[in-house]
Amino acid sequence: MKTREEALIYGLSFPNTYQDTPFRDTNWQLVRVKESRKAFLWIYEKDGYINLNVKADPEWRDFWRNTYPSVIAAYHQNKEHWNTIILDGTIPDEDVRRMIAESYDRITDSPSRRIYEAVKRIPKGKVATYGQVAEMAGNRKMARAVGNALHKNPDPDSIPCYRVVNAKGELAGEFAFGGAGAQARLLKEDGIEVVDGMVDLKKYGIYKLAETGQNTDQIRKDKARKDAVSALKEKCTEENLWNCIVAFQEYPFYTSSGLPFHYTLKVGRNGEYTKELFINRRENSKSLSWSSVRIAFQKAMDKKNTVFVRPKEIADVRGISYSYSLLWRFGVITVPENVEKRMKGEGE
């Protein structure tokens, strides 16, 4: 990618975007997101080359700058959050596209967006509580935000917010979902029985209590993990990978050499999970950055249909022995049978 036209065409290939030239200097072209009107791609010519300004994840910002001399701190923008890509032909097209895509993801990401995506995953014939939707969206503490987002549903035809009930199975107030009785009617059309304004969560809840008497919380976790892996296999995106990371907290993993470990995520001051996995391996603890997992994921995706015998065959990055186990458990990579046994905790 070397021309203004190529960059503009790729930028406009993302959903709900448009071109803008807000300055008197028409050298500057912006690609914005329609709903928020926020720009994720700035295109301009400088010193004989087309330059692109893109927003970068803080954990990837320096990685790109260190990898390519033609990726520098942003010109005329906040250098902590933005990079400039100089299209001088030294950066592979796939990495230019990846940086633009990351910028789009950063600009469009919001709790509401994640809530709407979570609601879309509630299957017909099932309901979920506000708390469950919050957890599916990555933060179990934002149940109240779920209610606020659903009452502002921008696309009721594809976001079935009527499938969300409170912790007791009670329907929302009559003012919601199009008027009196609307939610009950829509649920009945899904095949869900509504009695006295309530739904039986044991029968219709997305996490139904198993007849085995297994712990309800464990059933919920297992179901969330299975759903997250299925979504990742269907669409291998970093967003779905992150959903797997969230779902598999405290899961008993093993490295390729058979060492057991698990991880947790911490919640920051803004109520969101921090992008760092805290690894607990026997008596020792260490952290694994989300950026390292993402690099391993992208490298693995570039080598599809490869059987990875050792972790560093994917990428030589910090914490690759842990990322190797995660990617195998999530169904992203294939490993030899003897390695698989060790990562199942079965030894040789």
Side-chain angles (χ1 to χ4, degrees), residues 276-293:
E276 191 170 19
L277 288 70
F278 290 87
I279 306 291
N280 187 304
R281 193 187 71 189
R282 294 181 177 172
E283 73 280 0
N284 298 318
S285 296
K286 56 169 55 179
S287 64
L288 173 64
S289 70
W290 165 234
S291 60
S292 293
V293 180

PDB file of all heavy atoms in Angstrom, residues 276-293:
ATOM      1  N   GLU A 276      -4.039  -7.332  30.922  1.00  0.00           N
ATOM      2  CA  GLU A 276      -2.880  -8.052  31.435  1.00  0.00           C
ATOM      3  C   GLU A 276      -3.355  -9.302  32.154  1.00  0.00           C
ATOM      4  O   GLU A 276      -4.266  -9.242  32.974  1.00  0.00           O
ATOM      5  CB  GLU A 276      -2.084  -7.161  32.379  1.00  0.00           C
ATOM      6  CG  GLU A 276      -0.733  -7.726  32.764  1.00  0.00           C
ATOM      7  CD  GLU A 276       0.118  -6.702  33.502  1.00  0.00           C
ATOM      8  OE1 GLU A 276      -0.450  -5.725  34.013  1.00  0.00           O
ATOM      9  OE2 GLU A 276       1.340  -6.898  33.564  1.00  0.00           O
ATOM     10  N   LEU A 277      -2.766 -10.445  31.808  1.00  0.00           N
ATOM     11  CA  LEU A 277      -3.123 -11.710  32.435  1.00  0.00           C
ATOM     12  C   LEU A 277      -2.145 -11.977  33.576  1.00  0.00           C
ATOM     13  O   LEU A 277      -0.928 -11.971  33.367  1.00  0.00           O
ATOM     14  CB  LEU A 277      -3.037 -12.861  31.419  1.00  0.00           C
ATOM     15  CG  LEU A 277      -4.108 -12.949  30.334  1.00  0.00           C
ATOM     16  CD1 LEU A 277      -3.975 -11.824  29.315  1.00  0.00           C
ATOM     17  CD2 LEU A 277      -3.998 -14.302  29.613  1.00  0.00           C
ATOM     18  N   PHE A 278      -2.675 -12.185  34.769  1.00  0.00           N
ATOM     19  CA  PHE A 278      -1.819 -12.480  35.915  1.00  0.00           C
ATOM     20  C   PHE A 278      -1.730 -13.994  36.070  1.00  0.00           C
ATOM     21  O   PHE A 278      -2.691 -14.659  36.457  1.00  0.00           O
ATOM     22  CB  PHE A 278      -2.371 -11.802  37.170  1.00  0.00           C
ATOM     23  CG  PHE A 278      -2.227 -10.314  37.132  1.00  0.00           C
ATOM     24  CD1 PHE A 278      -3.197  -9.530  36.543  1.00  0.00           C
ATOM     25  CD2 PHE A 278      -1.092  -9.695  37.637  1.00  0.00           C
ATOM     26  CE1 PHE A 278      -3.062  -8.146  36.472  1.00  0.00           C
ATOM     27  CE2 PHE A 278      -0.932  -8.319  37.569  1.00  0.00           C
ATOM     28  CZ  PHE A 278      -1.929  -7.539  36.985  1.00  0.00           C
ATOM     29  N   ILE A 279      -0.561 -14.527  35.710  1.00  0.00           N
ATOM     30  CA  ILE A 279      -0.327 -15.964  35.685  1.00  0.00           C
ATOM     31  C   ILE A 279       0.037 -16.469  37.077  1.00  0.00           C
ATOM     32  O   ILE A 279       0.922 -15.911  37.735  1.00  0.00           O
ATOM     33  CB  ILE A 279       0.805 -16.331  34.710  1.00  0.00           C
ATOM     34  CG1 ILE A 279       0.535 -15.758  33.310  1.00  0.00           C
ATOM     35  CG2 ILE A 279       1.012 -17.844  34.657  1.00  0.00           C
ATOM     36  CD1 ILE A 279      -0.599 -16.396  32.578  1.00  0.00           C
ATOM     37  N   ASN A 280      -0.636 -17.517  37.518  1.00  0.00           N
ATOM     38  CA  ASN A 280      -0.286 -18.160  38.783  1.00  0.00           C
ATOM     39  C   ASN A 280       0.216 -19.555  38.457  1.00  0.00           C
ATOM     40  O   ASN A 280      -0.562 -20.415  38.033  1.00  0.00           O
ATOM     41  CB  ASN A 280      -1.500 -18.230  39.712  1.00  0.00           C
ATOM     42  CG  ASN A 280      -1.123 -18.748  41.095  1.00  0.00           C
ATOM     43  OD1 ASN A 280      -0.572 -19.826  41.235  1.00  0.00           O
ATOM     44  ND2 ASN A 280      -1.448 -17.970  42.110  1.00  0.00           N
ATOM     45  N   ARG A 281       1.513 -19.767  38.647  1.00  0.00           N
ATOM     46  CA  ARG A 281       2.128 -21.067  38.345  1.00  0.00           C
ATOM     47  C   ARG A 281       2.802 -21.595  39.600  1.00  0.00           C
ATOM     48  O   ARG A 281       3.877 -21.140  39.977  1.00  0.00           O
ATOM     49  CB  ARG A 281       3.159 -20.923  37.225  1.00  0.00           C
ATOM     50  CG  ARG A 281       3.604 -22.247  36.635  1.00  0.00           C
ATOM     51  CD  ARG A 281       4.734 -22.058  35.666  1.00  0.00           C
ATOM     52  NE  ARG A 281       5.968 -21.695  36.367  1.00  0.00           N
ATOM     53  CZ  ARG A 281       7.080 -21.296  35.743  1.00  0.00           C
ATOM     54  NH1 ARG A 281       7.085 -21.142  34.440  1.00  0.00           N
ATOM     55  NH2 ARG A 281       8.171 -21.000  36.444  1.00  0.00           N
ATOM     56  N   ARG A 282       2.098 -22.510  40.277  1.00  0.00           N
ATOM     57  CA  ARG A 282       2.576 -23.029  41.556  1.00  0.00           C
ATOM     58  C   ARG A 282       2.834 -21.870  42.509  1.00  0.00           C
ATOM     59  O   ARG A 282       1.967 -21.055  42.777  1.00  0.00           O
ATOM     60  CB  ARG A 282       3.808 -23.916  41.333  1.00  0.00           C
ATOM     61  CG  ARG A 282       3.458 -25.192  40.560  1.00  0.00           C
ATOM     62  CD  ARG A 282       4.652 -26.076  40.346  1.00  0.00           C
ATOM     63  NE  ARG A 282       4.263 -27.307  39.675  1.00  0.00           N
ATOM     64  CZ  ARG A 282       5.123 -28.206  39.230  1.00  0.00           C
ATOM     65  NH1 ARG A 282       6.412 -28.038  39.380  1.00  0.00           N
ATOM     66  NH2 ARG A 282       4.686 -29.299  38.624  1.00  0.00           N
ATOM     67  N   GLU A 283       4.051 -21.768  43.037  1.00  0.00           N
ATOM     68  CA  GLU A 283       4.291 -20.721  44.025  1.00  0.00           C
ATOM     69  C   GLU A 283       4.694 -19.402  43.375  1.00  0.00           C
ATOM     70  O   GLU A 283       4.836 -18.388  44.047  1.00  0.00           O
ATOM     71  CB  GLU A 283       5.393 -21.156  45.010  1.00  0.00           C
ATOM     72  CG  GLU A 283       6.806 -21.160  44.452  1.00  0.00           C
ATOM     73  CD  GLU A 283       7.104 -22.402  43.618  1.00  0.00           C
ATOM     74  OE1 GLU A 283       6.200 -23.245  43.477  1.00  0.00           O
ATOM     75  OE2 GLU A 283       8.240 -22.533  43.132  1.00  0.00           O
ATOM     76  N   ASN A 284       4.906 -19.401  42.074  1.00  0.00           N
ATOM     77  CA  ASN A 284       5.364 -18.197  41.396  1.00  0.00           C
ATOM     78  C   ASN A 284       4.236 -17.531  40.625  1.00  0.00           C
ATOM     79  O   ASN A 284       3.364 -18.198  40.086  1.00  0.00           O
ATOM     80  CB  ASN A 284       6.503 -18.541  40.423  1.00  0.00           C
ATOM     81  CG  ASN A 284       7.714 -19.106  41.140  1.00  0.00           C
ATOM     82  OD1 ASN A 284       8.082 -18.616  42.190  1.00  0.00           O
ATOM     83  ND2 ASN A 284       8.311 -20.143  40.571  1.00  0.00           N
ATOM     84  N   SER A 285       4.259 -16.205  40.586  1.00  0.00           N
ATOM     85  CA  SER A 285       3.279 -15.450  39.817  1.00  0.00           C
ATOM     86  C   SER A 285       4.013 -14.504  38.875  1.00  0.00           C
ATOM     87  O   SER A 285       5.073 -13.980  39.202  1.00  0.00           O
ATOM     88  CB  SER A 285       2.351 -14.655  40.743  1.00  0.00           C
ATOM     89  OG  SER A 285       1.586 -15.527  41.541  1.00  0.00           O
ATOM     90  N   LYS A 286       3.450 -14.292  37.711  1.00  0.00           N
ATOM     91  CA  LYS A 286       4.001 -13.328  36.767  1.00  0.00           C
ATOM     92  C   LYS A 286       2.855 -12.837  35.895  1.00  0.00           C
ATOM     93  O   LYS A 286       1.738 -13.349  35.955  1.00  0.00           O
ATOM     94  CB  LYS A 286       5.098 -13.957  35.905  1.00  0.00           C
ATOM     95  CG  LYS A 286       4.683 -15.197  35.131  1.00  0.00           C
ATOM     96  CD  LYS A 286       5.716 -15.610  34.105  1.00  0.00           C
ATOM     97  CE  LYS A 286       7.078 -15.817  34.695  1.00  0.00           C
ATOM     98  NZ  LYS A 286       8.073 -16.235  33.705  1.00  0.00           N
ATOM     99  N   SER A 287       3.126 -11.855  35.058  1.00  0.00           N
ATOM    100  CA  SER A 287       2.078 -11.311  34.203  1.00  0.00           C
ATOM    101  C   SER A 287       2.386 -11.592  32.741  1.00  0.00           C
ATOM    102  O   SER A 287       3.539 -11.748  32.348  1.00  0.00           O
ATOM    103  CB  SER A 287       1.930  -9.810  34.424  1.00  0.00           C
ATOM    104  OG  SER A 287       3.112  -9.128  34.034  1.00  0.00           O
ATOM    105  N   LEU A 288       1.333 -11.666  31.962  1.00  0.00           N
ATOM    106  CA  LEU A 288       1.424 -11.869  30.519  1.00  0.00           C
ATOM    107  C   LEU A 288       0.596 -10.780  29.868  1.00  0.00           C
ATOM    108  O   LEU A 288      -0.602 -10.667  30.136  1.00  0.00           O
ATOM    109  CB  LEU A 288       0.888 -13.253  30.133  1.00  0.00           C
ATOM    110  CG  LEU A 288       0.748 -13.561  28.640  1.00  0.00           C
ATOM    111  CD1 LEU A 288       2.109 -13.566  27.956  1.00  0.00           C
ATOM    112  CD2 LEU A 288       0.048 -14.902  28.438  1.00  0.00           C
ATOM    113  N   SER A 289       1.203  -9.963  29.033  1.00  0.00           N
ATOM    114  CA  SER A 289       0.477  -8.850  28.427  1.00  0.00           C
ATOM    115  C   SER A 289      -0.421  -9.344  27.295  1.00  0.00           C
ATOM    116  O   SER A 289      -0.106 -10.300  26.585  1.00  0.00           O
ATOM    117  CB  SER A 289       1.450  -7.790  27.895  1.00  0.00           C
ATOM    118  OG  SER A 289       2.139  -8.273  26.757  1.00  0.00           O
ATOM    119  N   TRP A 290      -1.546  -8.680  27.144  1.00  0.00           N
ATOM    120  CA  TRP A 290      -2.485  -8.978  26.056  1.00  0.00           C
ATOM    121  C   TRP A 290      -1.796  -8.795  24.708  1.00  0.00           C
ATOM    122  O   TRP A 290      -2.058  -9.546  23.760  1.00  0.00           O
ATOM    123  CB  TRP A 290      -3.692  -8.058  26.205  1.00  0.00           C
ATOM    124  CG  TRP A 290      -4.621  -7.940  25.041  1.00  0.00           C
ATOM    125  CD1 TRP A 290      -5.022  -6.790  24.426  1.00  0.00           C
ATOM    126  CD2 TRP A 290      -5.320  -8.997  24.351  1.00  0.00           C
ATOM    127  NE1 TRP A 290      -5.901  -7.057  23.410  1.00  0.00           N
ATOM    128  CE2 TRP A 290      -6.101  -8.400  23.336  1.00  0.00           C
ATOM    129  CE3 TRP A 290      -5.348 -10.383  24.487  1.00  0.00           C
ATOM    130  CZ2 TRP A 290      -6.899  -9.147  22.471  1.00  0.00           C
ATOM    131  CZ3 TRP A 290      -6.145 -11.125  23.617  1.00  0.00           C
ATOM    132  CH2 TRP A 290      -6.909 -10.504  22.630  1.00  0.00           C
ATOM    133  N   SER A 291      -0.878  -7.822  24.611  1.00  0.00           N
ATOM    134  CA  SER A 291      -0.199  -7.591  23.341  1.00  0.00           C
ATOM    135  C   SER A 291       0.611  -8.811  22.920  1.00  0.00           C
ATOM    136  O   SER A 291       0.677  -9.157  21.741  1.00  0.00           O
ATOM    137  CB  SER A 291       0.706  -6.360  23.422  1.00  0.00           C
ATOM    138  OG  SER A 291       1.692  -6.526  24.417  1.00  0.00           O
ATOM    139  N   SER A 292       1.230  -9.517  23.883  1.00  0.00           N
ATOM    140  CA  SER A 292       2.001 -10.720  23.556  1.00  0.00           C
ATOM    141  C   SER A 292       1.092 -11.823  23.033  1.00  0.00           C
ATOM    142  O   SER A 292       1.437 -12.543  22.092  1.00  0.00           O
ATOM    143  CB  SER A 292       2.767 -11.208  24.789  1.00  0.00           C
ATOM    144  OG  SER A 292       3.761 -10.294  25.170  1.00  0.00           O
ATOM    145  N   VAL A 293      -0.077 -11.971  23.651  1.00  0.00           N
ATOM    146  CA  VAL A 293      -1.044 -12.972  23.186  1.00  0.00           C
ATOM    147  C   VAL A 293      -1.519 -12.628  21.777  1.00  0.00           C
ATOM    148  O   VAL A 293      -1.645 -13.499  20.911  1.00  0.00           O
ATOM    149  CB  VAL A 293      -2.240 -13.065  24.151  1.00  0.00           C
ATOM    150  CG1 VAL A 293      -3.236 -14.118  23.664  1.00  0.00           C
ATOM    151  CG2 VAL A 293      -1.775 -13.399  25.564  1.00  0.00           C
TER     152      VAL A 293
END
